[in-house]
Amino acid sequence: MEPSAPTAETLKSWLQAVARTQDRDSFARLHGFFAPRLTAWLSRTGLPPVQIEDIVQETMIAIWRKAGLYDEKFGGVSTWVFVIARNQRVDYLRRKQNRATQPLEDWDPIDDSPGGEESLLAAERERNVRKALAQLTREQASVLEQAYFAEKPHSAIARDLGIPLGTVKSRMRLALARLRSLLEESP
């Protein structure tokens, strides 16, 4: 059984330990968590394995050196790490492009599918929403789940719950306001 992924707070504490005291154990944990994810993400870009390994290594070196520059106001640790990796990839491609240009017909079509960074961010957002939903009253959570997950219209929710349509709308409005407040508070 695979161990559970570290929480956003755990990742932040590891990064802060690297920034404050250059804690090698915390860095090893960050490396163990991010290196395979960065490798998987970069492998979808079509780069050769040797270049992927180099970019992952350069990314991890940058994390070691720049850990003190991380600011949680601008996003989670995962976002910060994937931005560094993206920048390392761009730098690699620029260096490569400066050596040789490729004819337009040899270029790959644009891949609009979600990448590793987007997938991680979506998973983090989903965790935050589920955590916030759990803090709502059962009545409020029920109307939100039926409206957004089951995609039921308000009138069907009222009929299913046996309550007036106005009550459904009031619960929906209160639930969305509370949910927004909870999500703004979460890191």
Side-chain angles (χ1 to χ4, degrees):
M1 184 171 165
E2 183 178 318
S4 63
T7 65
E9 283 302 312
T10 301
L11 292 173
K12 187 170 78 172
S13 70
W14 291 344
L15 187 63
Q16 288 171 339
V18 171
R20 281 192 309 270
T21 62
Q22 294 186 326
D23 184 331
R24 291 178 184 268
D25 187 47
S26 294
F27 182 74
R29 289 182 178 133
L30 285 169
H31 188 282
F33 179 73
F34 283 111
R37 287 161 176 78
L38 293 171
T39 300
W41 175 65
L42 289 166
S43 68
R44 288 193 295 270
T45 65
L47 290 172
V50 172
Q51 276 71 39
I52 290 172
E53 188 177 324
D54 287 346
I55 293 170
V56 170
Q57 185 66 25
E58 290 299 320
T59 301
M60 297 313 298
I61 290 169
I63 291 167
W64 175 261
R65 290 181 182 158
K66 297 178 180 183
L69 299 177
Y70 168 71
D71 187 346
E72 65 184 311
K73 288 186 287 192
F74 298 109
V77 173
S78 295
T79 303
W80 185 71
V81 168
F82 274 90
V83 167
I84 290 172
R86 184 200 63 204
N87 291 344
Q88 292 294 332
R89 180 179 172 268
V90 168
D91 289 347
Y92 165 79
L93 293 173
R94 283 183 184 149
R95 286 190 303 267
K96 183 179 175 185
Q97 186 178 29
N98 286 340
R99 286 185 233 132
T101 58
Q102 197 175 24
L104 282 177
E105 59 271 4
D106 291 344
W107 286 25
D108 292 332
I110 296 174
D111 179 14
D112 289 337
S113 63
E117 178 180 7
E118 293 167 4
S119 296
L120 283 173
L121 290 174
E124 188 173 331
R125 277 192 305 270
E126 182 180 344
R127 273 193 308 276
N128 288 340
V129 168
R130 289 194 185 282
K131 184 177 163 186
L133 274 172
Q135 295 179 45
L136 298 177
T137 66
R138 183 65 221 143
E139 293 83 13
Q140 291 175 345
S142 176
V143 295
L144 282 182
E145 288 166 358
Q146 290 188 44
Y148 291 101
F149 298 131
E151 298 181 355
K152 290 183 180 179
H154 293 178
S155 58
I157 297 170
R159 185 179 58 248
D160 292 350
L161 296 177
I163 58 176
L165 179 59
T167 302
V168 170
K169 291 182 178 189
S170 293
R171 286 181 185 174
M172 183 75 68
R173 183 181 47 78
L174 291 170
L176 288 172
R178 177 75 174 131
L179 192 63
R180 185 178 303 112
S181 171
L182 290 168
L183 290 172
E184 288 173 355
E185 293 172 7
S186 70

